Amino acid sequence: IAGCSGGNDDTIVPGTNAAFAPFEYEEDGEIVGFDIDLAEEAIDRAGYEVGDWSDLKFSSLIPSLNNNDIDLIAAGMTINPDRKEQIAFTDPYWESNQSVLVQSDGDFQPEGESDLDGARVGAQKGTTGESETERLRNEGVIAEDALKRYNNYVLAVEDLEAGNVDAVVVDQPVANNFAAGRDVSVAFVIETGEQFGMGMRQDDDRIGDINDALAEIRDDGTYDDLVAEWFE
Ligand code: GLN
């Protein structure tokens, strides 16, 4: 049946990539975060059962959704034209730019894109952060072999701390979170003006119920409570 995972229309099975705190990450063997709470609340209020979370590579989320392995992506995923050809997005629930992280005490402290000349720059595979590094390469700012891709952002930041890469491009709130907990800091911000949405299959009519639930979650203050819980 189109639009169903495991043939069950009452359950929405969510998927994420749990290396993107505070939106989604692992704590004591559990997947937690802002997206997790927001998605569960929306699925529940829309009248569906929340299935078991799948933790997947970010680049596997869209194929897994279209394979019916999962029914909903909640992964800080930016709404963009390329993805909109493949999946449907809920109404936006977040806005973000990209931040450039460097070692806090390192010699390399770029103040803008042109200072990345000669730097090795990392990002997570399949992300808009990766697209920004590709743009910098296409513009000739960084070299072809200076672009490093990782399966997740935690690995990218660990490689930055180890000195194997000079900078990491990652969504602003996640960069701030890494900066608060690790030996990295934000050098500068690239104003991309992205919006995050949850992803569902293009033929899944349940997206209307999820959008109604998301609107209600905003209107009654639950959204602000979740922001306060995970970001402040
Ligand atoms: N917002 C970025 C994107 O959609 C990164 C998301 C992520 O790494 N979880 O590509």
Side-chain angles (χ1 to χ4, degrees), residues 17 19-20 24 58 61 75-80 83 96 98 124 126-129 153 170-171 194 196:
N17 168 247
F20 203 61
E24 44 267 338
F58 188 78
L61 288 166
M77 186 175 273
T78 300
I79 302 168
N80 69 20
R83 291 171 180 162
S96 178
Q98 296 292 314
Q124 175 169 295
T127 62
T128 50
Y153 267 122
V170 57
D171 300 59
E194 295 165 57
F196 295 174

Side-chain angles (χ1 to χ4, degrees), residues 34 48 50 69 118 184 192:
F34 177 81
Y48 302 101
V50 182
D69 291 337
V184 296
T192 52

Side-chain angles (χ1 to χ4, degrees), residues 23-80:
F23 292 95
E24 44 267 338
Y25 58 103
E26 249 192 75
E27 196 173 67
D28 304 325
E30 252 197 280
I31 300 172
V32 298
F34 177 81
D35 280 345
I36 308 304
D37 284 355
L38 183 65
E40 290 189 355
E41 185 74 25
I43 293 169
D44 185 54
R45 286 201 198 195
Y48 302 101
E49 294 286 325
V50 182
D52 288 336
W53 283 88
S54 281
D55 184 16
L56 302 165
K57 277 194 299 193
F58 188 78
S59 54
S60 298
L61 288 166
I62 289 177
S64 297
L65 178 67
N66 283 329
N67 258 342
N68 295 325
D69 291 337
I70 57 173
D71 300 308
L72 178 138
I73 298 171
M77 186 175 273
T78 300
I79 302 168
N80 69 20

Side-chain angles (χ1 to χ4, degrees), residues 7 26 37 44 52-53 75 86 137 139 143 158 186 192 222 226:
E26 249 192 75
D37 284 355
D44 185 54
D52 288 336
W53 283 88
Q86 305 171 68
R137 179 200 59 195
E139 291 174 2
E158 284 172 359
V186 175
T192 52
T222 305
L226 288 177

